[in-house]
Amino acid sequence: MVRLVFLFSCSLLLLVADSTASAAIVEHTFNVQNLTLNRLCNRQVITAVNGNFPGPIIDVRERDTMIVHVINKSPYNLTIHWHGVFQKLSGWADGPNMVTQCPIRPGNKYTYKFKIIKQEGTLWWHAHASALRATVYGALIIRPRTGSSYPFPKPYGEVPILLGEWWNANIVDIQNEALALGRGPNVSDAYTINGWPGDLYPCSTNQMYKLKVERGKTYLLRIINAALDNQLFYKIANHKMTVVAVDACYTNQYVTDVVAIAPGQTVDVLLRADQPIGSYYMASRAYASAFGVVPFDSTTTRGVIVYEGAPSSPMPLMPVLPAFNDTPTAHKFYSNLTSLIGGPHWDPVPVKVDHKMFVTIGLALQVCPSNTTCQGPVNGTKLSAAMNNQSFVSPTGLSMLQAFFFNVGGVYTTDFPAKPPVQFDYTNASINSNLPLLFAPTGTKTTKLNFNSTVEMVLQNTAILAVENHPMHLHGFDFHVMAQGFGNYNPATDASKFNLFDPQMRNTIAVPVGGWAVIRFVANNPGVWLMHCHFDAHLPIGLATAFVVENGPTPATTLPPPPADLPQC
């Protein structure tokens, strides 16, 4: 008997050793401060990390622990969000301003510490206060744990492709002016690839991203849409791409010549350098679903892929990009992706649903305050946005997660409506003649969820002011995309379209313009989790809500206390 106990103990120790042997502590320091760059014939001061734009690439493995010391030397309040990281029992590190923490004030610092648990692929990090994520962002690459491999042949090289926007002005001032006047912000002056605008812009001939490749080799491109307010098309001249993952979730391989990608999303593609030796442009420009209604940056950024041995001339080939309003191409890409069943960290679709929600998403109006000049879409109004006719407002004195942990009342309520307070023909533009319907009350309303409950949410776009494809991001969880389509969601006919076998998994869904998407997720992560539109212009005007997930029954399913250095308001 003693021998059996001894053998069991040794086996247990080996299991524990094996589970931790490949885990490492990955530590970084982010010095956030002003940086002056020359772009588009201008010298522009931006906020950046460690003197780089984009910021540093963080490279970790599944099971690693990340420790990032953020030192705020900028003149602005700051938080950092680790976009797509589950933050299991580490919600204090999630980062959205006034949701999980108060901001890091200028001259102060905060250490983010969390583990990477059951995730691998491409995610990213960015500022989550004000509009600072225009320049404060970078890639977060999660590789398989030691001894594991990709569910596809190992590529010859791996390349982050960060798509962004650039303004010839202070982005914080631009956002503040827009909020004060009650209108949308000025559109960007350029798009960028890895921080470079490309040679179609003035003074930018030598400011173009260049990728050198070897003919016959395969490369993994980790594409990230870090733009503030634009969905984007991305193409490479004469090359196909094979999608193998989205939002750090493996997919069945999908061959395409164009990628549609919404702000916040990531797409991993395999690129085989199989064309004649030469040079080929990669290019990106907007997918503007509200074309003709909502202003957007209509320029094009491009970089170049140069094969080893390619001559310096002729000019690289240029891809033919989709039209700005090519919704069929965007929808084909968004809706044709499926999960890799049995792949690393794959989760089957939850069948039993505990909490059903029908949530409208779109623009709205607010009354212009007295003695204020507003430039909203209707005279005497301010532009707003809402979910189920509720325009979200962040608290000011205490973060929502602190209120949850310490049981402090008055910071948020748990009465977010599970369905629209008024039912109407959601995608019919004639609703704009019903003026009272356009105004959304403000508040900090959330939905309380039992631990481990399953949520099904219908996200329904409305035609209030304009139909638009909204990228909706859920913190703390991945979700299954059950189905998506156009028009008003009809449960009698559309529920039969649910993919219960291999639906794609994401953390950010581009809800079709004038349409709907249905998602499911399991609330297995206690804390307060923001859900919001990842158009930066829409979050501060209210297109958000939050989920309050109760603690589970054991210490292993209970949110621990906040770290000692958590910023105070």
Side-chain angles (χ1 to χ4, degrees):
M1 182 65 182
V2 173
R3 178 176 170 79
L4 287 174
V5 171
F6 175 76
L7 289 173
F8 175 76
S9 300
C10 289
S11 299
L12 185 61
L13 285 171
L14 285 171
L15 284 171
V16 171
D18 180 67
S19 68
T20 59
S22 64
I25 295 175
V26 179
E27 194 163 1
H28 288 264
T29 297
F30 281 10
N31 288 293
V32 185
Q33 59 195 46
N34 286 347
L35 173 68
T36 302
L37 294 178
N38 292 312
R39 291 290 189 277
L40 278 61
C41 313
N42 289 279
R43 286 177 59 81
Q44 182 61 48
V45 177
I46 65 170
T47 305
V49 175
N50 296 349
N52 292 305
F53 171 66
I57 297 170
I58 294 182
D59 201 319
V60 298
R61 291 188 180 274
E62 196 262 327
R63 292 184 179 180
D64 284 354
T65 295
M66 278 183 55
I67 299 175
V68 183
H69 310 284
V70 177
I71 303 169
N72 187 6
K73 300 177 182 178
S74 83
Y76 308 109
N77 289 344
L78 174 75
T79 67
I80 300 292
H81 170 51
W82 315 94
H83 187 110
V85 174
F86 292 151
Q87 300 291 0
K88 288 288 182 68
L89 301 182
S90 57
W92 304 106
D94 190 43
N97 187 33
M98 298 311 300
V99 178
T100 62
Q101 67 167 99
C102 299
I104 308 168
R105 306 288 185 187
N108 290 294
K109 59 186 178 181
Y110 177 47
T111 296
Y112 292 90
K113 182 178 180 179
F114 53 92
K115 292 183 178 180
I116 304 297
I117 301 173
K118 293 184 178 180
Q119 291 184 278
E120 59 187 70
T122 304
L123 296 174
W124 62 302
W125 58 265
H126 61 79
H128 213 298
S130 184
L132 290 175
R133 77 171 176 88
T135 54
V136 179
Y137 65 84
L140 171 53
I141 297 171
I142 307 171
R143 302 183 188 281
R145 68 184 69 166
T146 301
S148 299
S149 60
Y150 298 129
F152 47 81
K154 184 179 179 180
Y156 179 74
E158 301 185 18
V159 184
I161 300 291
L162 291 98
L163 307 176
E165 288 185 88
W166 178 268
W167 279 261
N168 284 330
N170 183 303
I171 187 61
V172 175
D173 292 344
I174 289 173
Q175 185 185 68
N176 289 341
E177 180 184 53
L179 292 173
L181 296 175
R183 57 164 175 77
N186 296 338
V187 301
S188 56
D189 294 291
Y191 298 110
T192 58
I193 298 175
N194 290 344
W196 300 108
D199 60 355
L200 291 176
Y201 296 99
C203 304
S204 301
T205 301
N206 297 317
Q207 294 191 339
M208 181 167 61
Y209 174 68
K210 180 183 293 186
L211 172 61
K212 294 184 178 181
V213 300
E214 185 177 337
R215 191 172 189 276
K217 302 296 186 180
T218 298
Y219 298 81
L220 177 64
L221 305 187
R222 300 177 178 272
I223 307 170
I224 300 167
N225 187 345
L228 282 195
D229 292 314
N230 283 282
Q231 302 193 50
L232 297 167
F233 290 119
Y234 174 86
K235 289 190 74 172
I236 301 171
N238 284 21
H239 287 75
K240 299 282 189 180
M241 295 171 280
T242 301
V243 179
V244 292
V246 294
D247 293 2
C249 297
Y250 289 115
T251 66
N252 290 309
Q253 295 193 10
Y254 177 71
V255 179
T256 180
D257 68 344
V258 61
V259 167
I261 184 168
Q265 292 183 334
T266 71
V267 179
D268 290 357
V269 301
L270 295 175
L271 171 71
R272 184 159 178 80
D274 58 2
Q275 294 301 298
I277 290 176
S279 299
Y280 302 83
Y281 280 121
M282 61 174 76
S284 183
R285 72 176 182 186
Y287 162 49
S289 62
F291 183 82
V293 179
V294 177
F296 69 97
D297 179 352
S298 60
T299 64
T300 300
T301 181
R302 64 186 184 185
V304 64
I305 292 178
V306 180
Y307 279 62
E308 186 177 302
S312 57
S313 61
M315 284 282 291
L317 294 176
M318 178 69 179
V320 178
L321 289 162
F324 296 117
N325 60 345
D326 191 346
T327 290
T329 292
H331 185 69
K332 178 182 178 183
F333 181 86
Y334 286 140
S335 62
N336 272 280
L337 303 173
T338 53
S339 286
L340 179 64
I341 293 178
H345 318 302
W346 170 78
D347 287 322
V349 184
V351 176
K352 179 179 176 292
V353 175
D354 303 299
H355 190 83
K356 288 194 173 186
M357 304 178 72
F358 185 101
V359 180
T360 57
I361 57 172
L363 301 176
L365 296 175
Q366 287 184 14
V367 174
C368 187
S370 58
N371 301 318
T372 303
T373 300
C374 293
Q375 298 176 1
V378 177
N379 290 338
T381 66
K382 296 184 70 173
L383 182 66
S384 181
M387 300 177 69
N388 272 355
N389 202 41
Q390 303 294 320
S391 187
F392 184 83
V393 176
S394 297
T396 55
L398 192 70
S399 77
M400 297 171 71
L401 191 58
Q402 287 173 299
F404 166 78
F405 185 86
F406 294 107
N407 197 27
V408 177
V411 176
Y412 62 83
T413 62
T414 56
D415 57 345
F416 180 82
K419 60 182 180 180
V422 177
Q423 295 186 5
F424 55 96
D425 187 359
Y426 304 112
T427 54
N428 189 331
S430 66
I431 61 176
N432 288 290
S433 61
N434 184 353
L435 198 60
L437 190 64
L438 311 187
F439 288 83
T442 60
T444 313
K445 295 191 174 187
T446 70
T447 300
K448 182 184 287 189
L449 298 173
N450 292 328
F451 179 80
N452 229 29
S453 60
T454 297
V455 180
E456 179 179 289
M457 177 184 285
V458 179
L459 294 165
Q460 174 68 63
N461 184 212
T462 74
I464 293 177
L465 301 184
V467 292
E468 190 172 12
N469 186 312
H470 291 281
M472 300 301 298
H473 172 51
L474 176 62
H475 290 229
F477 307 93
D478 285 338
F479 49 75
H480 291 87
V481 182
M482 307 304 297
Q484 50 190 310
F486 296 97
N488 296 338
Y489 175 77
N490 183 344
T493 56
D494 292 329
S496 64
K497 302 173 185 175
F498 285 7
N499 181 350
L500 297 170
F501 179 63
D502 61 353
Q504 61 180 289
M505 297 177 66
R506 281 193 174 275
N507 61 59
T508 305
I509 174 72
V511 180
V513 54
W516 53 268
V518 183
I519 65 172
R520 282 185 191 173
F521 68 95
V522 178
N524 57 5
N525 197 4
V528 180
W529 305 105
L530 187 66
M531 185 179 198
H532 63 98
C533 180
H534 221 269
F535 285 150
D536 197 76
H538 291 173
L539 174 57
I541 60 174
L543 216 168
T545 187
F547 294 97
V548 178
V549 180
E550 295 287 86
N551 285 313
T554 67
T557 57
T558 299
L559 181 71
D565 65 337
L566 184 74
Q568 301 300 308
C569 294

